[in-house]
Amino acid sequence: MTAVLGGCGSTGSSDVTLELVAADYGDSAANSSKKYWDDLAEGYESRHPGVKVHVDVYSWNDVDRKVKEMVAAGHAPDLAQIGAYADYAAAGKLYPASDLLSIRTQADFLSSLADAGQWQHVQYGIPFAASTRVLFYNKTLFGEAGITPPTNWSELAADAGALKAKGVKYPYALPLGPEEAQAETLQWLLSGGNGYTDDVGTYTIDSPQNVKTFTWLKDELVGKGLTGPVAPGRLNRADAFAAFADGQVGMLNGHPTLMQQAARKGVKFGMVPLPGRTGRARASMGVTDWMMGFRQNGHAEQIGDFLDYAYQEKNVLAFSREYGLLPVTDSASNTMAESGAARDKELRPFLDQMPTSQQYPVGKTSWAAVSAAVKKDIGQAVAPTGSPAGVLTRLQSAASAADSANSG
């Protein structure tokens, strides 16, 4: 207990090597997350000579699958920093956060994120990095069209029409392709007044509000040719971001990394809260990536001590600033909010939305299957021959079946 409470003392163990698998947030070898983790591990090891931390970093295309394969083969890492935790928690593979972290570290997490890390009312998922979404718009294209950023759906449609009249390739980029369709979908469901689930966690994908939302998208944006030459069901998020950075997109929903991508290409852009049906959306989408500790190797004390070090304010801020992400702790969030540094000011529009942001239903073990179904099918809801109600009803049936099968 001394090590856990002290945070930086000796763990009382020797010759322990912690295996950590982490996702790469960089977009090149120069800013790979490997450097961040190696520096962090070196700093920790210098204070804990009996413990080594070995880190393997994989791209987001591979990291979740890699951890799944390791666990299935009976070689779970001690720590994994990946996209989902609920399946491992349900299988009894993870330590509860309270078995690992000091009380001080646990108390510092943003409460909404800590709550999202719970499976059956016990926290297993430890928030690691977060982001929210805002509406990005191209200031140059808006100026040429003589329009101002929208505050509701009617204004958004009108702005998109004005941009189309000026020959803009993607007046509004609507990426409902398989890469990240579940994200664009949730943003629109929230702006329409609902979401994937209700307040008690029951799937409500085919709710009347959601059907109205996708009917509006189909009729008022897609059907009027305001979403670009590529059908939304075939437009992936990465391609939409690249098109925005190339100056071909008038508006799209984006997260913090788009700021850097657009700035590198010299695009002048602005950011406003997501428009809702009659005014500002009641909530933005929040996304959290997770840290978790696996039970298999029995290194609870060392895992917890390393995490207490990793979640110190300076380390949380260093990671957030390096990759344009939002801190997951109150201490680091407050420091960033009060900072006068340009890099912190740029993140403030996203930071402001954190308290009211809504997460995917990551605490449901059925979510992985539901997310995959949304990625595969949601583009059909806005296709010329598609039926929003029909597609959402099919997705609701699939979600209900997955929920029953997983009992999550």
Side-chain angles (χ1 to χ4, degrees):
M1 287 299 293
T2 301
V4 175
L5 293 173
C8 284
S10 169
T11 62
S13 303
S14 61
D15 302 320
V16 170
T17 297
L18 296 178
E19 299 290 341
L20 166 62
V21 175
D24 196 349
Y25 290 81
D27 55 13
S28 68
N31 71 341
S32 170
S33 299
K34 176 72 171 167
K35 183 179 186 302
Y36 173 83
W37 284 113
D38 285 348
D39 289 346
L40 191 74
E42 183 179 341
Y44 178 77
E45 290 168 359
S46 70
R47 296 165 173 81
H48 303 79
V51 181
K52 297 295 183 185
V53 182
H54 177 264
V55 185
D56 287 312
V57 173
Y58 297 92
S59 77
W60 273 110
N61 293 330
D62 301 319
V63 68
D64 289 290
R65 173 182 54 79
K66 182 65 177 178
V67 171
K68 186 175 183 180
E69 291 172 351
M70 293 173 71
V71 173
H75 301 295
D78 295 288
L79 290 155
Q81 186 271 298
I82 51 178
Y85 66 85
D87 285 357
Y88 299 121
K93 304 286 188 183
L94 303 180
Y95 287 111
S98 59
D99 285 3
L100 301 174
L101 302 172
S102 69
I103 293 172
R104 176 180 294 178
T105 300
Q106 288 185 75
D108 197 25
F109 289 115
L110 295 169
S111 60
S112 61
L113 303 187
D115 289 347
Q118 294 183 0
W119 179 76
Q120 293 192 342
H121 309 295
V122 176
Q123 185 185 353
Y124 294 92
I126 304 169
F128 182 74
S131 67
T132 59
R133 301 294 194 267
V134 298
L135 183 74
F136 283 72
Y137 66 97
N138 184 310
K139 286 186 173 182
T140 302
L141 298 179
F142 267 61
E144 291 171 352
I147 54 178
T148 56
T151 62
N152 57 47
W153 288 0
S154 295
E155 292 176 4
L156 188 149
D159 284 350
L163 290 164
K164 182 183 181 182
K166 287 290 185 179
V168 175
K169 189 173 181 180
Y170 295 91
Y172 180 87
L174 184 67
L176 294 177
E179 180 193 3
E180 204 183 37
Q182 83 284 2
E184 186 74 16
T185 297
L186 180 54
Q187 291 164 86
W188 279 99
L189 298 184
L190 290 172
S191 67
N194 201 232
Y196 284 123
T197 61
D198 61 18
D199 291 341
V200 295
T202 303
Y203 284 112
T204 57
I205 296 173
D206 64 347
S207 71
Q209 298 103 307
N210 291 345
V211 171
K212 285 175 65 177
T213 293
F214 266 82
T215 300
W216 185 89
L217 276 174
K218 180 176 185 289
D219 294 344
E220 301 301 324
L221 286 188
V222 182
K224 294 182 178 178
L226 302 178
T227 55
V230 178
R234 291 192 291 111
L235 180 63
N236 280 325
R237 190 267 305 164
D239 296 327
F241 278 21
F244 185 83
D246 286 337
Q248 300 174 335
V249 173
M251 300 173 276
L252 82 171
N253 294 332
H255 54 65
T257 56
L258 183 55
M259 294 190 299
Q260 300 167 352
Q261 192 173 347
R264 282 198 297 266
K265 291 289 193 78
V267 171
K268 292 183 173 61
F269 63 88
M271 301 179 295
V272 295
L274 299 180
R277 192 183 301 276
T278 57
R280 177 175 174 171
R282 67 182 179 90
S284 173
M285 183 184 78
V287 176
T288 304
D289 301 324
W290 304 96
M291 179 69 75
M292 60 211 71
F294 283 86
R295 289 180 175 273
Q296 181 175 330
N297 300 319
H299 294 149
E301 184 180 355
Q302 293 85 1
I303 291 170
D305 198 56
F306 173 70
L307 289 178
D308 283 340
Y309 177 78
Y311 281 102
Q312 289 178 12
E313 181 183 329
K314 64 179 181 180
N315 295 326
V316 173
L317 282 170
F319 186 88
S320 299
R321 286 165 170 164
E322 176 66 26
Y323 298 107
L325 294 164
L326 304 181
V328 297
T329 61
D330 283 314
S331 58
S333 294
N334 291 337
T335 296
M336 184 175 281
E338 295 166 4
S339 169
R343 61 186 175 181
D344 292 337
K345 286 182 177 179
E346 288 176 343
L347 288 169
R348 203 157 292 158
F350 302 92
L351 200 62
D352 289 345
Q353 297 191 131
M354 278 296 291
T356 59
S357 66
Q358 291 196 13
Q359 306 277 322
Y360 299 127
V362 289
K364 296 171 76 66
T365 54
S366 57
W367 170 241
V370 174
S371 176
V374 172
K375 290 179 180 182
K376 179 176 178 289
D377 292 337
I378 196 64
Q380 299 172 24
V382 296
T385 58
S387 163
V391 171
L392 293 179
T393 297
R394 289 200 304 275
L395 288 172
Q396 175 68 28
S397 297
S400 298
D403 220 18
S404 297
N406 283 276
S407 300

